[in-house]
Amino acid sequence: ESQTLLTGVSSAAMSYFDGENWLETWDSTTTTSLPTAIKFSLVLEPRDSSTSRSDPDPIELIVPVIVKTVATLQQEATASAAQ
């Protein structure tokens, strides 16, 4: 069953930062870490069709992920011990 959460949005996307690159998907079954940030992007529909631009700028929100997994803590401890 679909449910409308927000109207007036022409597109929405999420990206995941792995510490070096922004990725379009995050597969937690293939990694032991979490993304270091998540970016939410929304493109709003124009309010007035006569003033619409072909490529409206997205509204972006970047949220840092400050939770650490056991694997991340172990990786940090290993890197710390190697120094």
Side-chain angles (χ1 to χ4, degrees), residues 19-57:
E20 295 181 19
N21 300 299
W22 285 102
L23 308 170
E24 292 185 18
T25 61
W26 190 268
D27 186 356
S28 61
T29 63
T30 62
T31 182
T32 58
S33 64
L34 297 172
T36 59
I38 300 172
K39 178 171 37 176
F40 300 91
S41 300
L42 293 177
V43 176
L44 301 179
E45 294 177 345
R47 290 183 184 184
D48 181 1
S49 60
S50 65
T51 60
S52 67
R53 296 179 7 195
S54 58
D55 286 332
D57 292 331

PDB file of all heavy atoms in Angstrom, residues 19-57:
ATOM      1  N   GLY A  19      33.574   7.545   3.445  1.00  0.00           N
ATOM      2  CA  GLY A  19      34.802   8.135   3.951  1.00  0.00           C
ATOM      3  C   GLY A  19      35.663   8.701   2.844  1.00  0.00           C
ATOM      4  O   GLY A  19      36.544   9.516   3.086  1.00  0.00           O
ATOM      5  N   GLU A  20      35.405   8.274   1.600  1.00  0.00           N
ATOM      6  CA  GLU A  20      36.151   8.769   0.443  1.00  0.00           C
ATOM      7  C   GLU A  20      35.248   9.185  -0.709  1.00  0.00           C
ATOM      8  O   GLU A  20      35.540  10.134  -1.409  1.00  0.00           O
ATOM      9  CB  GLU A  20      37.142   7.708  -0.047  1.00  0.00           C
ATOM     10  CG  GLU A  20      38.237   7.390   0.954  1.00  0.00           C
ATOM     11  CD  GLU A  20      39.213   6.346   0.423  1.00  0.00           C
ATOM     12  OE1 GLU A  20      39.267   6.137  -0.796  1.00  0.00           O
ATOM     13  OE2 GLU A  20      39.927   5.756   1.245  1.00  0.00           O
ATOM     14  N   ASN A  21      34.169   8.431  -0.930  1.00  0.00           N
ATOM     15  CA  ASN A  21      33.299   8.656  -2.089  1.00  0.00           C
ATOM     16  C   ASN A  21      31.829   8.601  -1.688  1.00  0.00           C
ATOM     17  O   ASN A  21      31.460   7.895  -0.733  1.00  0.00           O
ATOM     18  CB  ASN A  21      33.536   7.582  -3.165  1.00  0.00           C
ATOM     19  CG  ASN A  21      34.950   7.572  -3.659  1.00  0.00           C
ATOM     20  OD1 ASN A  21      35.438   8.544  -4.197  1.00  0.00           O
ATOM     21  ND2 ASN A  21      35.633   6.451  -3.461  1.00  0.00           N
ATOM     22  N   TRP A  22      30.991   9.304  -2.461  1.00  0.00           N
ATOM     23  CA  TRP A  22      29.547   9.199  -2.307  1.00  0.00           C
ATOM     24  C   TRP A  22      29.061   8.041  -3.175  1.00  0.00           C
ATOM     25  O   TRP A  22      29.404   7.953  -4.353  1.00  0.00           O
ATOM     26  CB  TRP A  22      28.854  10.496  -2.726  1.00  0.00           C
ATOM     27  CG  TRP A  22      29.018  11.575  -1.716  1.00  0.00           C
ATOM     28  CD1 TRP A  22      29.880  12.629  -1.767  1.00  0.00           C
ATOM     29  CD2 TRP A  22      28.325  11.689  -0.475  1.00  0.00           C
ATOM     30  NE1 TRP A  22      29.752  13.399  -0.636  1.00  0.00           N
ATOM     31  CE2 TRP A  22      28.799  12.849   0.177  1.00  0.00           C
ATOM     32  CE3 TRP A  22      27.337  10.936   0.156  1.00  0.00           C
ATOM     33  CZ2 TRP A  22      28.331  13.264   1.414  1.00  0.00           C
ATOM     34  CZ3 TRP A  22      26.860  11.350   1.391  1.00  0.00           C
ATOM     35  CH2 TRP A  22      27.354  12.492   2.012  1.00  0.00           C
ATOM     36  N   LEU A  23      28.292   7.143  -2.583  1.00  0.00           N
ATOM     37  CA  LEU A  23      27.779   5.965  -3.273  1.00  0.00           C
ATOM     38  C   LEU A  23      26.255   6.045  -3.345  1.00  0.00           C
ATOM     39  O   LEU A  23      25.611   6.556  -2.431  1.00  0.00           O
ATOM     40  CB  LEU A  23      28.175   4.691  -2.523  1.00  0.00           C
ATOM     41  CG  LEU A  23      29.663   4.547  -2.192  1.00  0.00           C
ATOM     42  CD1 LEU A  23      29.880   3.376  -1.250  1.00  0.00           C
ATOM     43  CD2 LEU A  23      30.466   4.377  -3.464  1.00  0.00           C
ATOM     44  N   GLU A  24      25.681   5.513  -4.422  1.00  0.00           N
ATOM     45  CA  GLU A  24      24.232   5.543  -4.586  1.00  0.00           C
ATOM     46  C   GLU A  24      23.534   4.453  -3.784  1.00  0.00           C
ATOM     47  O   GLU A  24      22.332   4.554  -3.521  1.00  0.00           O
ATOM     48  CB  GLU A  24      23.867   5.437  -6.060  1.00  0.00           C
ATOM     49  CG  GLU A  24      24.269   6.670  -6.853  1.00  0.00           C
ATOM     50  CD  GLU A  24      23.806   6.614  -8.296  1.00  0.00           C
ATOM     51  OE1 GLU A  24      22.911   5.812  -8.606  1.00  0.00           O
ATOM     52  OE2 GLU A  24      24.348   7.377  -9.104  1.00  0.00           O
ATOM     53  N   THR A  25      24.254   3.409  -3.426  1.00  0.00           N
ATOM     54  CA  THR A  25      23.663   2.320  -2.633  1.00  0.00           C
ATOM     55  C   THR A  25      24.608   1.958  -1.493  1.00  0.00           C
ATOM     56  O   THR A  25      25.816   2.215  -1.562  1.00  0.00           O
ATOM     57  CB  THR A  25      23.420   1.057  -3.495  1.00  0.00           C
ATOM     58  OG1 THR A  25      24.673   0.599  -4.014  1.00  0.00           O
ATOM     59  CG2 THR A  25      22.452   1.331  -4.622  1.00  0.00           C
ATOM     60  N   TRP A  26      24.042   1.359  -0.455  1.00  0.00           N
ATOM     61  CA  TRP A  26      24.846   0.865   0.667  1.00  0.00           C
ATOM     62  C   TRP A  26      24.334  -0.534   0.999  1.00  0.00           C
ATOM     63  O   TRP A  26      23.185  -0.701   1.385  1.00  0.00           O
ATOM     64  CB  TRP A  26      24.729   1.770   1.888  1.00  0.00           C
ATOM     65  CG  TRP A  26      25.725   1.397   2.937  1.00  0.00           C
ATOM     66  CD1 TRP A  26      25.540   0.534   3.985  1.00  0.00           C
ATOM     67  CD2 TRP A  26      27.070   1.834   3.002  1.00  0.00           C
ATOM     68  NE1 TRP A  26      26.694   0.416   4.693  1.00  0.00           N
ATOM     69  CE2 TRP A  26      27.657   1.210   4.124  1.00  0.00           C
ATOM     70  CE3 TRP A  26      27.843   2.695   2.238  1.00  0.00           C
ATOM     71  CZ2 TRP A  26      28.976   1.423   4.492  1.00  0.00           C
ATOM     72  CZ3 TRP A  26      29.154   2.901   2.598  1.00  0.00           C
ATOM     73  CH2 TRP A  26      29.712   2.273   3.714  1.00  0.00           C
ATOM     74  N   ASP A  27      25.184  -1.522   0.813  1.00  0.00           N
ATOM     75  CA  ASP A  27      24.802  -2.911   1.067  1.00  0.00           C
ATOM     76  C   ASP A  27      25.465  -3.369   2.361  1.00  0.00           C
ATOM     77  O   ASP A  27      26.647  -3.679   2.385  1.00  0.00           O
ATOM     78  CB  ASP A  27      25.226  -3.792  -0.106  1.00  0.00           C
ATOM     79  CG  ASP A  27      24.735  -5.222   0.026  1.00  0.00           C
ATOM     80  OD1 ASP A  27      24.124  -5.572   1.062  1.00  0.00           O
ATOM     81  OD2 ASP A  27      24.957  -5.995  -0.917  1.00  0.00           O
ATOM     82  N   SER A  28      24.697  -3.398   3.428  1.00  0.00           N
ATOM     83  CA  SER A  28      25.251  -3.761   4.736  1.00  0.00           C
ATOM     84  C   SER A  28      25.616  -5.242   4.827  1.00  0.00           C
ATOM     85  O   SER A  28      26.280  -5.644   5.778  1.00  0.00           O
ATOM     86  CB  SER A  28      24.263  -3.395   5.844  1.00  0.00           C
ATOM     87  OG  SER A  28      23.057  -4.104   5.674  1.00  0.00           O
ATOM     88  N   THR A  29      25.223  -6.033   3.834  1.00  0.00           N
ATOM     89  CA  THR A  29      25.595  -7.449   3.859  1.00  0.00           C
ATOM     90  C   THR A  29      26.991  -7.684   3.288  1.00  0.00           C
ATOM     91  O   THR A  29      27.544  -8.762   3.441  1.00  0.00           O
ATOM     92  CB  THR A  29      24.580  -8.311   3.075  1.00  0.00           C
ATOM     93  OG1 THR A  29      24.597  -7.918   1.695  1.00  0.00           O
ATOM     94  CG2 THR A  29      23.180  -8.164   3.645  1.00  0.00           C
ATOM     95  N   THR A  30      27.569  -6.655   2.636  1.00  0.00           N
ATOM     96  CA  THR A  30      28.897  -6.824   2.039  1.00  0.00           C
ATOM     97  C   THR A  30      29.980  -6.025   2.750  1.00  0.00           C
ATOM     98  O   THR A  30      31.123  -6.028   2.312  1.00  0.00           O
ATOM     99  CB  THR A  30      28.881  -6.425   0.548  1.00  0.00           C
ATOM    100  OG1 THR A  30      28.530  -5.042   0.454  1.00  0.00           O
ATOM    101  CG2 THR A  30      27.906  -7.272  -0.240  1.00  0.00           C
ATOM    102  N   THR A  31      29.626  -5.327   3.826  1.00  0.00           N
ATOM    103  CA  THR A  31      30.605  -4.546   4.569  1.00  0.00           C
ATOM    104  C   THR A  31      30.336  -4.667   6.065  1.00  0.00           C
ATOM    105  O   THR A  31      29.209  -4.932   6.470  1.00  0.00           O
ATOM    106  CB  THR A  31      30.583  -3.054   4.140  1.00  0.00           C
ATOM    107  OG1 THR A  31      31.580  -2.359   4.872  1.00  0.00           O
ATOM    108  CG2 THR A  31      29.237  -2.425   4.374  1.00  0.00           C
ATOM    109  N   THR A  32      31.363  -4.459   6.844  1.00  0.00           N
ATOM    110  CA  THR A  32      31.194  -4.526   8.306  1.00  0.00           C
ATOM    111  C   THR A  32      31.102  -3.137   8.920  1.00  0.00           C
ATOM    112  O   THR A  32      31.031  -3.003  10.128  1.00  0.00           O
ATOM    113  CB  THR A  32      32.381  -5.277   8.946  1.00  0.00           C
ATOM    114  OG1 THR A  32      33.586  -4.605   8.609  1.00  0.00           O
ATOM    115  CG2 THR A  32      32.424  -6.715   8.491  1.00  0.00           C
ATOM    116  N   SER A  33      31.126  -2.115   8.068  1.00  0.00           N
ATOM    117  CA  SER A  33      31.079  -0.748   8.580  1.00  0.00           C
ATOM    118  C   SER A  33      29.785  -0.057   8.160  1.00  0.00           C
ATOM    119  O   SER A  33      29.031  -0.557   7.336  1.00  0.00           O
ATOM    120  CB  SER A  33      32.286   0.036   8.081  1.00  0.00           C
ATOM    121  OG  SER A  33      32.234   0.151   6.675  1.00  0.00           O
ATOM    122  N   LEU A  34      29.586   1.111   8.721  1.00  0.00           N
ATOM    123  CA  LEU A  34      28.454   1.958   8.360  1.00  0.00           C
ATOM    124  C   LEU A  34      28.966   3.128   7.532  1.00  0.00           C
ATOM    125  O   LEU A  34      30.149   3.467   7.606  1.00  0.00           O
ATOM    126  CB  LEU A  34      27.782   2.503   9.635  1.00  0.00           C
ATOM    127  CG  LEU A  34      27.163   1.475  10.564  1.00  0.00           C
ATOM    128  CD1 LEU A  34      26.726   2.139  11.864  1.00  0.00           C
ATOM    129  CD2 LEU A  34      25.988   0.798   9.893  1.00  0.00           C
ATOM    130  N   PRO A  35      28.103   3.774   6.752  1.00  0.00           N
ATOM    131  CA  PRO A  35      28.566   4.982   6.065  1.00  0.00           C
ATOM    132  C   PRO A  35      28.907   6.052   7.095  1.00  0.00           C
ATOM    133  O   PRO A  35      28.361   6.064   8.197  1.00  0.00           O
ATOM    134  CB  PRO A  35      27.357   5.386   5.213  1.00  0.00           C
ATOM    135  CG  PRO A  35      26.180   4.733   5.841  1.00  0.00           C
ATOM    136  CD  PRO A  35      26.685   3.503   6.517  1.00  0.00           C
ATOM    137  N   THR A  36      29.821   6.952   6.744  1.00  0.00           N
ATOM    138  CA  THR A  36      30.168   8.020   7.678  1.00  0.00           C
ATOM    139  C   THR A  36      29.195   9.186   7.581  1.00  0.00           C
ATOM    140  O   THR A  36      29.149  10.030   8.475  1.00  0.00           O
ATOM    141  CB  THR A  36      31.607   8.518   7.444  1.00  0.00           C
ATOM    142  OG1 THR A  36      31.716   8.985   6.104  1.00  0.00           O
ATOM    143  CG2 THR A  36      32.611   7.404   7.695  1.00  0.00           C
ATOM    144  N   ALA A  37      28.403   9.220   6.490  1.00  0.00           N
ATOM    145  CA  ALA A  37      27.365  10.243   6.341  1.00  0.00           C
ATOM    146  C   ALA A  37      26.330   9.758   5.329  1.00  0.00           C
ATOM    147  O   ALA A  37      26.617   8.900   4.491  1.00  0.00           O
ATOM    148  CB  ALA A  37      27.964  11.565   5.876  1.00  0.00           C
ATOM    149  N   ILE A  38      25.130  10.332   5.432  1.00  0.00           N
ATOM    150  CA  ILE A  38      24.062  10.056   4.479  1.00  0.00           C
ATOM    151  C   ILE A  38      23.565  11.397   3.950  1.00  0.00           C
ATOM    152  O   ILE A  38      23.348  12.325   4.721  1.00  0.00           O
ATOM    153  CB  ILE A  38      22.905   9.277   5.140  1.00  0.00           C
ATOM    154  CG1 ILE A  38      23.413   7.947   5.689  1.00  0.00           C
ATOM    155  CG2 ILE A  38      21.766   9.043   4.139  1.00  0.00           C
ATOM    156  CD1 ILE A  38      22.390   7.193   6.517  1.00  0.00           C
ATOM    157  N   LYS A  39      23.421  11.474   2.623  1.00  0.00           N
ATOM    158  CA  LYS A  39      22.934  12.713   1.998  1.00  0.00           C
ATOM    159  C   LYS A  39      21.527  12.466   1.450  1.00  0.00           C
ATOM    160  O   LYS A  39      21.297  11.525   0.695  1.00  0.00           O
ATOM    161  CB  LYS A  39      23.859  13.147   0.865  1.00  0.00           C
ATOM    162  CG  LYS A  39      23.384  14.392   0.154  1.00  0.00           C
ATOM    163  CD  LYS A  39      24.372  14.996  -0.842  1.00  0.00           C
ATOM    164  CE  LYS A  39      25.184  14.073  -1.643  1.00  0.00           C
ATOM    165  NZ  LYS A  39      26.034  14.725  -2.642  1.00  0.00           N
ATOM    166  N   PHE A  40      20.592  13.330   1.859  1.00  0.00           N
ATOM    167  CA  PHE A  40      19.226  13.305   1.362  1.00  0.00           C
ATOM    168  C   PHE A  40      19.086  14.458   0.375  1.00  0.00           C
ATOM    169  O   PHE A  40      19.434  15.589   0.697  1.00  0.00           O
ATOM    170  CB  PHE A  40      18.229  13.490   2.508  1.00  0.00           C
ATOM    171  CG  PHE A  40      18.322  12.423   3.559  1.00  0.00           C
ATOM    172  CD1 PHE A  40      19.157  12.587   4.656  1.00  0.00           C
ATOM    173  CD2 PHE A  40      17.591  11.254   3.451  1.00  0.00           C
ATOM    174  CE1 PHE A  40      19.248  11.602   5.630  1.00  0.00           C
ATOM    175  CE2 PHE A  40      17.682  10.266   4.417  1.00  0.00           C
ATOM    176  CZ  PHE A  40      18.513  10.443   5.510  1.00  0.00           C
ATOM    177  N   SER A  41      18.588  14.159  -0.824  1.00  0.00           N
ATOM    178  CA  SER A  41      18.405  15.193  -1.853  1.00  0.00           C
ATOM    179  C   SER A  41      16.962  15.188  -2.326  1.00  0.00           C
ATOM    180  O   SER A  41      16.411  14.133  -2.661  1.00  0.00           O
ATOM    181  CB  SER A  41      19.307  14.929  -3.061  1.00  0.00           C
ATOM    182  OG  SER A  41      20.653  14.926  -2.692  1.00  0.00           O
ATOM    183  N   LEU A  42      16.343  16.373  -2.353  1.00  0.00           N
ATOM    184  CA  LEU A  42      14.985  16.547  -2.856  1.00  0.00           C
ATOM    185  C   LEU A  42      14.988  17.599  -3.946  1.00  0.00           C
ATOM    186  O   LEU A  42      15.640  18.635  -3.818  1.00  0.00           O
ATOM    187  CB  LEU A  42      14.041  17.036  -1.746  1.00  0.00           C
ATOM    188  CG  LEU A  42      13.733  16.117  -0.591  1.00  0.00           C
ATOM    189  CD1 LEU A  42      12.852  16.846   0.416  1.00  0.00           C
ATOM    190  CD2 LEU A  42      13.047  14.866  -1.055  1.00  0.00           C
ATOM    191  N   VAL A  43      14.235  17.343  -5.010  1.00  0.00           N
ATOM    192  CA  VAL A  43      13.995  18.346  -6.032  1.00  0.00           C
ATOM    193  C   VAL A  43      12.503  18.645  -5.976  1.00  0.00           C
ATOM    194  O   VAL A  43      11.677  17.739  -6.146  1.00  0.00           O
ATOM    195  CB  VAL A  43      14.414  17.868  -7.438  1.00  0.00           C
ATOM    196  CG1 VAL A  43      14.059  18.914  -8.487  1.00  0.00           C
ATOM    197  CG2 VAL A  43      15.898  17.559  -7.475  1.00  0.00           C
ATOM    198  N   LEU A  44      12.186  19.904  -5.714  1.00  0.00           N
ATOM    199  CA  LEU A  44      10.792  20.303  -5.600  1.00  0.00           C
ATOM    200  C   LEU A  44      10.204  20.612  -6.964  1.00  0.00           C
ATOM    201  O   LEU A  44      10.891  21.104  -7.856  1.00  0.00           O
ATOM    202  CB  LEU A  44      10.666  21.529  -4.688  1.00  0.00           C
ATOM    203  CG  LEU A  44      11.180  21.361  -3.264  1.00  0.00           C
ATOM    204  CD1 LEU A  44      11.021  22.662  -2.495  1.00  0.00           C
ATOM    205  CD2 LEU A  44      10.455  20.233  -2.549  1.00  0.00           C
ATOM    206  N   GLU A  45       8.907  20.348  -7.102  1.00  0.00           N
ATOM    207  CA  GLU A  45       8.195  20.726  -8.322  1.00  0.00           C
ATOM    208  C   GLU A  45       8.042  22.244  -8.327  1.00  0.00           C
ATOM    209  O   GLU A  45       7.897  22.853  -7.268  1.00  0.00           O
ATOM    210  CB  GLU A  45       6.820  20.060  -8.354  1.00  0.00           C
ATOM    211  CG  GLU A  45       6.884  18.558  -8.475  1.00  0.00           C
ATOM    212  CD  GLU A  45       5.507  17.917  -8.421  1.00  0.00           C
ATOM    213  OE1 GLU A  45       4.529  18.583  -8.019  1.00  0.00           O
ATOM    214  OE2 GLU A  45       5.422  16.729  -8.758  1.00  0.00           O
ATOM    215  N   PRO A  46       8.091  22.856  -9.502  1.00  0.00           N
ATOM    216  CA  PRO A  46       7.907  24.316  -9.549  1.00  0.00           C
ATOM    217  C   PRO A  46       6.501  24.696  -9.076  1.00  0.00           C
ATOM    218  O   PRO A  46       5.541  23.992  -9.342  1.00  0.00           O
ATOM    219  CB  PRO A  46       8.117  24.674 -11.016  1.00  0.00           C
ATOM    220  CG  PRO A  46       8.131  23.396 -11.767  1.00  0.00           C
ATOM    221  CD  PRO A  46       8.315  22.276 -10.804  1.00  0.00           C
ATOM    222  N   ARG A  47       6.419  25.815  -8.367  1.00  0.00           N
ATOM    223  CA  ARG A  47       5.108  26.293  -7.894  1.00  0.00           C
ATOM    224  C   ARG A  47       4.264  26.818  -9.047  1.00  0.00           C
ATOM    225  O   ARG A  47       3.065  26.668  -9.062  1.00  0.00           O
ATOM    226  CB  ARG A  47       5.299  27.409  -6.866  1.00  0.00           C
ATOM    227  CG  ARG A  47       5.867  26.926  -5.581  1.00  0.00           C
ATOM    228  CD  ARG A  47       5.952  28.070  -4.610  1.00  0.00           C
ATOM    229  NE  ARG A  47       6.601  27.636  -3.391  1.00  0.00           N
ATOM    230  CZ  ARG A  47       6.754  28.392  -2.334  1.00  0.00           C
ATOM    231  NH1 ARG A  47       6.314  29.633  -2.348  1.00  0.00           N
ATOM    232  NH2 ARG A  47       7.346  27.927  -1.263  1.00  0.00           N
ATOM    233  N   ASP A  48       4.934  27.451  -9.998  1.00  0.00           N
ATOM    234  CA  ASP A  48       4.243  28.052 -11.128  1.00  0.00           C
ATOM    235  C   ASP A  48       4.854  27.484 -12.401  1.00  0.00           C
ATOM    236  O   ASP A  48       6.047  27.643 -12.643  1.00  0.00           O
ATOM    237  CB  ASP A  48       4.412  29.576 -11.071  1.00  0.00           C
ATOM    238  CG  ASP A  48       3.699  30.295 -12.202  1.00  0.00           C
ATOM    239  OD1 ASP A  48       3.043  29.625 -13.029  1.00  0.00           O
ATOM    240  OD2 ASP A  48       3.798  31.525 -12.252  1.00  0.00           O
ATOM    241  N   SER A  49       4.059  26.819 -13.207  1.00  0.00           N
ATOM    242  CA  SER A  49       4.598  26.156 -14.401  1.00  0.00           C
ATOM    243  C   SER A  49       5.174  27.140 -15.414  1.00  0.00           C
ATOM    244  O   SER A  49       6.016  26.776 -16.216  1.00  0.00           O
ATOM    245  CB  SER A  49       3.518  25.299 -15.061  1.00  0.00           C
ATOM    246  OG  SER A  49       2.430  26.118 -15.449  1.00  0.00           O
ATOM    247  N   SER A  50       4.770  28.407 -15.379  1.00  0.00           N
ATOM    248  CA  SER A  50       5.296  29.381 -16.330  1.00  0.00           C
ATOM    249  C   SER A  50       6.711  29.831 -15.977  1.00  0.00           C
ATOM    250  O   SER A  50       7.423  30.373 -16.815  1.00  0.00           O
ATOM    251  CB  SER A  50       4.377  30.610 -16.406  1.00  0.00           C
ATOM    252  OG  SER A  50       4.374  31.285 -15.157  1.00  0.00           O
ATOM    253  N   THR A  51       7.134  29.608 -14.740  1.00  0.00           N
ATOM    254  CA  THR A  51       8.481  30.025 -14.322  1.00  0.00           C
ATOM    255  C   THR A  51       9.386  28.828 -14.035  1.00  0.00           C
ATOM    256  O   THR A  51      10.391  28.965 -13.379  1.00  0.00           O
ATOM    257  CB  THR A  51       8.414  30.906 -13.063  1.00  0.00           C
ATOM    258  OG1 THR A  51       7.811  30.141 -12.009  1.00  0.00           O
ATOM    259  CG2 THR A  51       7.627  32.170 -13.317  1.00  0.00           C
ATOM    260  N   SER A  52       9.014  27.662 -14.520  1.00  0.00           N
ATOM    261  CA  SER A  52       9.813  26.473 -14.205  1.00  0.00           C
ATOM    262  C   SER A  52      11.161  26.497 -14.918  1.00  0.00           C
ATOM    263  O   SER A  52      11.270  26.926 -16.056  1.00  0.00           O
ATOM    264  CB  SER A  52       9.049  25.203 -14.574  1.00  0.00           C
ATOM    265  OG  SER A  52       8.901  25.126 -15.964  1.00  0.00           O
ATOM    266  N   ARG A  53      12.167  26.055 -14.214  1.00  0.00           N
ATOM    267  CA  ARG A  53      13.508  25.896 -14.784  1.00  0.00           C
ATOM    268  C   ARG A  53      13.659  24.450 -15.219  1.00  0.00           C
ATOM    269  O   ARG A  53      13.020  23.560 -14.681  1.00  0.00           O
ATOM    270  CB  ARG A  53      14.565  26.230 -13.739  1.00  0.00           C
ATOM    271  CG  ARG A  53      14.520  27.663 -13.313  1.00  0.00           C
ATOM    272  CD  ARG A  53      15.536  28.031 -12.264  1.00  0.00           C
ATOM    273  NE  ARG A  53      16.501  27.005 -11.940  1.00  0.00           N
ATOM    274  CZ  ARG A  53      17.265  27.045 -10.870  1.00  0.00           C
ATOM    275  NH1 ARG A  53      17.177  28.030 -10.025  1.00  0.00           N
ATOM    276  NH2 ARG A  53      18.132  26.093 -10.628  1.00  0.00           N
ATOM    277  N   SER A  54      14.541  24.222 -16.163  1.00  0.00           N
ATOM    278  CA  SER A  54      14.715  22.854 -16.644  1.00  0.00           C
ATOM    279  C   SER A  54      15.432  21.976 -15.620  1.00  0.00           C
ATOM    280  O   SER A  54      15.129  20.802 -15.494  1.00  0.00           O
ATOM    281  CB  SER A  54      15.476  22.851 -17.966  1.00  0.00           C
ATOM    282  OG  SER A  54      16.734  23.468 -17.797  1.00  0.00           O
ATOM    283  N   ASP A  55      16.374  22.540 -14.879  1.00  0.00           N
ATOM    284  CA  ASP A  55      17.124  21.783 -13.884  1.00  0.00           C
ATOM    285  C   ASP A  55      17.128  22.523 -12.547  1.00  0.00           C
ATOM    286  O   ASP A  55      18.096  23.219 -12.219  1.00  0.00           O
ATOM    287  CB  ASP A  55      18.571  21.556 -14.326  1.00  0.00           C
ATOM    288  CG  ASP A  55      18.692  20.526 -15.424  1.00  0.00           C
ATOM    289  OD1 ASP A  55      17.833  19.640 -15.482  1.00  0.00           O
ATOM    290  OD2 ASP A  55      19.657  20.615 -16.200  1.00  0.00           O
ATOM    291  N   PRO A  56      16.066  22.394 -11.758  1.00  0.00           N
ATOM    292  CA  PRO A  56      16.081  23.085 -10.456  1.00  0.00           C
ATOM    293  C   PRO A  56      17.137  22.484  -9.539  1.00  0.00           C
ATOM    294  O   PRO A  56      17.445  21.297  -9.611  1.00  0.00           O
ATOM    295  CB  PRO A  56      14.675  22.860  -9.910  1.00  0.00           C
ATOM    296  CG  PRO A  56      14.152  21.681 -10.648  1.00  0.00           C
ATOM    297  CD  PRO A  56      14.854  21.638 -11.972  1.00  0.00           C
ATOM    298  N   ASP A  57      17.729  23.331  -8.706  1.00  0.00           N
ATOM    299  CA  ASP A  57      18.736  22.864  -7.751  1.00  0.00           C
ATOM    300  C   ASP A  57      18.080  22.003  -6.685  1.00  0.00           C
ATOM    301  O   ASP A  57      16.994  22.329  -6.191  1.00  0.00           O
ATOM    302  CB  ASP A  57      19.434  24.046  -7.087  1.00  0.00           C
ATOM    303  CG  ASP A  57      20.303  24.827  -8.051  1.00  0.00           C
ATOM    304  OD1 ASP A  57      20.815  24.217  -9.010  1.00  0.00           O
ATOM    305  OD2 ASP A  57      20.465  26.041  -7.845  1.00  0.00           O
TER     306      ASP A  57
END
